[in-house]
Amino acid sequence: QMCIRDSDNGQKMEEGRLKNEKKHGTWTAWYENGQLKFSYTYNDKKNQRSLEKYEISGELSSRGSFDNDTNNRIGVWEFYEAGGLVKKGSYNEQGEKEGLWTGLEKIFFKNGKMDGLYEKFENGKIVEKGYYSDGKKEGIYITTMKDGREKTEEYEKGELIFEKNVSATGRNEIFYDGD
């Protein structure tokens, strides 16, 4: 059976089919300006639904799947900004990030926590690089500032223990934490 939900002003807001009183097949929703908001496709055999979500401007913002019972994100997801892919990675059955995530950042996840090498990119260049262990910064972490300065930090179990800033002229500014 077809189901259509309208706004107070008569604008169609959502449309899809019901089967045994549950959403079935493709469901579509729109913003008040008539622009596509999202499209879900329900897959009863896999007990999941796939999503394509859009910004009010009409540009794709995310794409992926949900488990219908838990409502957790599962499988491969993609996230977009201004029409460009900025992040892509996977969620496990518990809805936690898992494995390699890429895009403007490159990071590994284990049990939903950052774990391993982290890199952040701007204009094709690495501007941040470091390591995470169990969701906390660990070891050397290097950040290149917009003015060309480079900041080097050292972390132990997420706690900053050393910081060194090198100015664009090469002058060192060293800070120690502790006694």
Side-chain angles (χ1 to χ4, degrees):
Q1 123 190 24
M2 186 64 125
C3 181
I4 299 173
R5 187 171 60 92
D6 295 331
S7 69
D8 293 339
N9 66 6
Q11 170 78 30
K12 187 173 8 176
M13 300 301 292
E14 188 175 23
E15 177 180 82
R17 295 197 173 278
L18 295 175
K19 182 178 179 181
N20 300 324
E21 299 182 18
K22 292 176 113 180
K23 289 183 177 181
H24 175 76
T26 300
W27 277 74
T28 307
W30 295 269
Y31 290 102
E32 286 189 23
N33 68 1
Q35 200 61 257
L36 181 62
K37 186 174 187 177
F38 65 77
S39 176
Y40 278 113
T41 302
Y42 288 81
N43 182 334
D44 296 336
K45 292 178 184 172
K46 290 186 175 181
N47 196 36
Q48 64 187 26
R49 65 191 182 279
S50 58
L51 163 75
E52 285 192 353
K53 185 176 178 184
Y54 298 85
E55 298 294 336
I56 199 164
S57 65
E59 294 185 355
L60 181 64
S61 67
S62 59
R63 176 184 296 157
S65 295
F66 287 96
D67 180 285
N68 285 339
D69 291 333
T70 63
N71 210 30
N72 288 341
R73 289 180 175 161
I74 54 172
V76 175
W77 273 76
E78 298 173 344
F79 298 90
Y80 298 83
E81 288 180 13
L85 180 67
V86 293
K87 207 173 2 177
K88 180 179 180 178
S90 294
Y91 288 89
N92 62 24
E93 291 178 7
Q94 291 75 39
E96 300 169 332
K97 291 179 179 179
E98 193 72 40
L100 176 64
W101 279 69
T102 60
L104 297 180
E105 298 175 311
K106 182 178 175 182
I107 183 65
F108 287 90
F109 284 85
K110 185 176 178 182
N111 299 321
K113 295 181 181 178
M114 297 169 89
D115 197 85
L117 176 64
Y118 169 82
E119 294 175 326
K120 182 177 180 180
F121 302 88
E122 286 182 12
N123 301 317
K125 295 182 180 180
I126 297 173
V127 294
E128 287 182 40
K129 184 175 182 175
Y131 291 88
Y132 281 80
S133 178
D134 199 33
K136 297 177 182 171
K137 289 181 179 179
E138 186 67 39
I140 303 297
Y141 196 92
I142 299 171
T143 304
T144 303
M145 312 305 257
K146 293 198 184 293
D147 64 3
R149 291 182 301 123
E150 190 174 89
K151 178 168 72 170
T152 301
E153 301 168 312
E154 187 173 353
Y155 288 86
E156 192 173 290
K157 296 179 182 173
E159 297 292 324
L160 180 65
I161 58 172
F162 171 82
E163 180 178 342
K164 174 183 168 184
N165 290 309
V166 178
S167 69
T169 62
R171 185 173 150 246
N172 287 330
E173 302 164 357
I174 300 174
F175 304 95
Y176 294 93
D177 188 28
D179 298 330

